Amino acid sequence: MTKVGIIGTGMLGEAVGLHLLDSKYEVIVYNRTKNKVENLVKHGAMLVDTPKNVAEKSDIVITVVKDASAVSDVAFGKNGIIYGVNSELVVADMSTINPNSAKEISQKFSDSGISFLEIPVMGGPNVAINGELVMMVSGKKQIYEKFKNIFDIIAKKTFFLGDSGTAHSIKLAMNLQIAMLALSLSEGITLTRKAGFDPEIFLKILNSTYFKTGMSEKKAYKMIKDNFEPTFTLQNLKKDLDIINNTAKSLGAHLPMANQANQIYQNAVDAGFGEIDYTGILAYLKKISE
Ligand SMILES: NC(=O)c1ccc[n+]([C@@H]2O[C@H](COP(=O)([O-])OP(=O)(O)OC[C@H]3O[C@@H](n4cnc5c(N)ncnc54)[C@H](OP(=O)(O)O)[C@@H]3O)[C@@H](O)[C@H]2O)c1
């Protein structure tokens, strides 16, 4: 059976790894901070010391780290993936990064004789644990097809989108939706509260209309109870807003709302809300509305 390496066992990487183990795959793991691999090891993952060791033992290595600089560190840094190359190695990056960085990383892997796929996903650890992510893929189609069985375990839907950089461009448009939805829901809840109503009434009415969303039907009920246990941190969404705005600028796309949102999420990070869930933008609005 295909051996799958996972580099980066934060919230998303851990859930993907647990689901692969549950699906009887052999999983090899590395994380910069050692205690974050404990749960995976307890469930049967093999722990190794470096990204190089992961590469040596895997047919496919999935990187799930913070940003492009972290991908470069684990790929090309000391004891990085490229030093553990085996003849058939494929690297697939699930981190959300800038499309231009993805192209550069793809080229550097190719220069080292390693095939590279970009596999950004929609959905957090709560759905990854059941293999219900939605995956966007770019790179060489035959490599995607070779490992499609693994991607179909990780995700309920995969979309092959073409050459390097394409999957990340679409992923950015997706995360723009997340940022805006969390913000508009939070502003609606804040307005309702200030008008003296229980926000549950707002949600009940909203969810009776065409304008309801998965977020308003599910996560919003945690938000109004001030439950901001992170599945995707506010600071990681802010990181993505930076990428969205920089990419828009480089493409000549004018995105006024993304620009505004970037500033609001930055203010929330500066005010100490970065480590909680991205829906904690509601807690930040509550604080500035006091
Ligand atoms: N959570 C979600 O819902 C979700 C959904 C889709 C996409 N994503 C994307 O997936 C990626 C991971 O997200 P997450 O939620 O799992 O974040 P997370 O819990 O904050 O984990 C981040 C991971 O990146 C590693 N890392 C950061 N900088 C590094 C470096 N320089 N070298 C090596 N490792 C480094 C961290 O290692 P340490 O433990 O040592 O810090 C940790 O394993 C991000 O790009 C995020 O945008 C997340």
Side-chain angles (χ1 to χ4, degrees), residues 128-148:
I129 199 77
N130 296 319
E132 289 179 351
L133 292 166
V134 172
M135 184 182 281
M136 295 146 274
V137 185
S138 50
K140 286 208 179 81
K141 194 165 189 193
Q142 68 269 34
I143 303 290
Y144 160 66
E145 277 162 358
K146 185 172 171 195
F147 289 98
K148 194 172 180 302

Side-chain angles (χ1 to χ4, degrees), residues 202-209 212-213 216-218 220-221:
F202 162 66
L203 294 181
K204 198 170 174 185
I205 299 170
L206 176 61
N207 290 330
S208 308
T209 73
K212 69 183 175 185
T213 60
S216 70
E217 286 188 306
K218 291 193 182 120
Y221 289 92

Side-chain angles (χ1 to χ4, degrees), residues 37-51:
V37 293
E38 280 168 9
N39 197 20
L40 281 157
V41 171
K42 206 167 78 192
H43 283 82
M46 181 199 291
L47 171 63
V48 295
D49 286 334
T50 62

Side-chain angles (χ1 to χ4, degrees), residues 7-14 30-34 36 64-67 69-71 73-74 94-97 121-126 133 171 175 231-233 235-237 239-240:
I7 296 179
T9 58
M11 285 183 286
L12 185 61
E14 181 188 67
Y30 165 83
N31 193 65
R32 185 180 59 174
T33 306
K34 293 285 167 278
K36 285 196 198 159
V64 200
V65 290
K66 184 176 178 191
D67 53 18
S69 137
V71 178
D73 283 352
V74 298
M94 192 181 277
S95 327
T96 305
I97 66 172
V121 293
M122 286 299 283
N126 46 328
L133 292 166
K171 166 65 179 165
N175 276 26
T231 61
F232 177 43
T233 60
Q235 67 190 0
N236 269 347
L237 182 57
K239 176 245 333 169
D240 294 346

Side-chain angles (χ1 to χ4, degrees), residues 34-271:
K34 293 285 167 278
N35 64 3
K36 285 196 198 159
V37 293
E38 280 168 9
N39 197 20
L40 281 157
V41 171
K42 206 167 78 192
H43 283 82
M46 181 199 291
L47 171 63
V48 295
D49 286 334
T50 62
K52 171 179 181 271
N53 296 152
V54 177
E56 283 163 350
K57 294 188 180 335
S58 306
D59 300 310
I60 179 168
V61 174
I62 299 176
T63 48
V64 200
V65 290
K66 184 176 178 191
D67 53 18
S69 137
V71 178
S72 289
D73 283 352
V74 298
F76 314 117
K78 189 169 177 244
N79 287 319
I81 296 168
I82 55 165
Y83 301 105
V85 61
N86 61 57
S87 58
E88 301 273 311
L89 185 65
V90 168
V91 176
D93 181 37
M94 192 181 277
S95 327
T96 305
I97 66 172
N98 179 316
N100 287 331
S101 303
K103 282 186 205 162
E104 284 167 22
I105 288 168
S106 175
Q107 186 57 51
K108 277 180 96 168
F109 270 118
S110 170
D111 294 344
S112 298
I114 299 172
S115 299
F116 180 72
L117 292 174
E118 292 143 52
I119 57 163
V121 293
M122 286 299 283
N126 46 328
V127 295
I129 199 77
N130 296 319
E132 289 179 351
L133 292 166
V134 172
M135 184 182 281
M136 295 146 274
V137 185
S138 50
K140 286 208 179 81
K141 194 165 189 193
Q142 68 269 34
I143 303 290
Y144 160 66
E145 277 162 358
K146 185 172 171 195
F147 289 98
K148 194 172 180 302
N149 59 331
I150 303 280
F151 302 142
D152 285 343
I153 295 285
I154 295 172
K156 66 178 177 186
K157 269 198 171 175
T158 66
F159 294 88
F160 183 78
L161 297 165
D163 288 344
S164 175
T166 47
H168 277 295
S169 307
I170 307 285
K171 166 65 179 165
L172 294 181
M174 295 295 156
N175 276 26
L176 186 51
Q177 308 309 304
I178 301 176
M180 296 303 177
L181 278 179
L183 203 47
S184 76
L185 206 45
S186 296
E187 291 197 358
I189 292 168
T190 303
L191 190 62
T192 306
R193 277 181 174 151
K194 281 287 175 187
F197 287 99
D198 183 342
E200 204 160 340
I201 295 169
F202 162 66
L203 294 181
K204 198 170 174 185
I205 299 170
L206 176 61
N207 290 330
S208 308
T209 73
Y210 169 77
F211 304 101
K212 69 183 175 185
T213 60
M215 202 186 289
S216 70
E217 286 188 306
K218 291 193 182 120
K219 210 150 189 172
Y221 289 92
K222 289 187 175 171
M223 293 166 69
I224 61 172
K225 290 192 179 87
D226 293 333
N227 178 347
F228 303 116
E229 178 85 24
T231 61
F232 177 43
T233 60
L234 197 150
Q235 67 190 0
N236 269 347
L237 182 57
K238 161 66 182 115
K239 176 245 333 169
D240 294 346
L241 279 162
D242 279 334
I243 303 174
I244 289 165
N245 282 293
N246 289 335
T247 305
K249 207 167 160 192
S250 73
L251 295 171
H254 187 57
L255 306 182
M257 296 300 288
N259 234 310
Q260 290 274 324
N262 202 16
Q263 192 55 58
I264 300 164
Y265 282 92
Q266 179 63 60
N267 294 346
V269 170
D270 292 344

